[in-house]
Amino acid sequence: MTLSSNAGLIVLRLALGLIFTVHGFDKFAGGIENTAGFFESIGISGGLAYVVATIELIGGILMILGLGTRVVAAFFIVVMLGAIVTVKSGTGFIGGYELDLALLGMSLALLISGGGTISVDSKLFSKESKGVQG
């Protein structure tokens, strides 16, 4: 993988991770009970708010580090599909689900590509980091 490809992946990971970290933190800081109440008001179990907020906060941090990139990206895809289907689809594209769709696309790209060589994943799990010659 080229330096420019890896630089692109780190920019993608940092942006995606920051957005999700801030959204997860906001759900907890703003009172997770409020988020749970919102979930219940649209017919979703309030307990799912804790799951979503945890995925966003912890997943966002892991994404920034590039640790478990593909797994975290898969969780983000599920969260974004859930948000689009349950909340945003009725709001239209502009001012509605366009950000969710962008985050979904970013997550899909990282699910496919992984975190790149500038990631904790690469340092822990690559053949080169273990001294294996390929």
Side-chain angles (χ1 to χ4, degrees), residues 83-109:
I84 291 169
V85 169
T86 61
V87 179
K88 303 290 184 87
S89 62
T91 61
F93 187 76
I94 303 296
Y97 61 89
E98 82 272 17
L99 175 60
D100 303 79
L101 189 60
L103 296 174
L104 177 74
M106 293 165 70
S107 298
L108 184 58

Side-chain angles (χ1 to χ4, degrees), residues 71-126:
V71 173
V72 172
F75 279 114
F76 287 172
I77 289 168
V78 171
V79 169
M80 289 298 88
L81 287 172
I84 291 169
V85 169
T86 61
V87 179
K88 303 290 184 87
S89 62
T91 61
F93 187 76
I94 303 296
Y97 61 89
E98 82 272 17
L99 175 60
D100 303 79
L101 189 60
L103 296 174
L104 177 74
M106 293 165 70
S107 298
L108 184 58
L110 287 165
L111 176 68
I112 293 166
S113 68
T117 58
I118 308 170
S119 67
V120 173
D121 287 338
S122 176
K123 302 306 176 224
L124 291 177
F125 305 115
S126 74

Side-chain angles (χ1 to χ4, degrees), residues 1-87:
M1 191 173 280
T2 66
L3 178 60
S4 62
S5 297
N6 280 300
L9 289 174
I10 196 167
V11 168
L12 193 60
R13 276 196 358 255
L14 291 174
L16 187 65
L18 179 63
I19 291 167
F20 272 99
T21 300
V22 170
H23 277 262
F25 180 78
D26 186 58
K27 283 178 177 63
F28 284 113
I32 191 68
E33 301 81 18
N34 295 331
T35 304
F38 170 73
F39 275 43
E40 290 173 357
S41 76
I42 60 170
I44 301 171
S45 168
L48 198 54
Y50 295 87
V51 174
V52 169
T54 300
I55 288 169
E56 290 177 349
L57 180 62
I58 303 302
I61 293 166
L62 292 173
M63 185 62 70
I64 290 168
L65 296 173
L67 181 58
T69 302
R70 286 189 165 109
V71 173
V72 172
F75 279 114
F76 287 172
I77 289 168
V78 171
V79 169
M80 289 298 88
L81 287 172
I84 291 169
V85 169
T86 61
V87 179

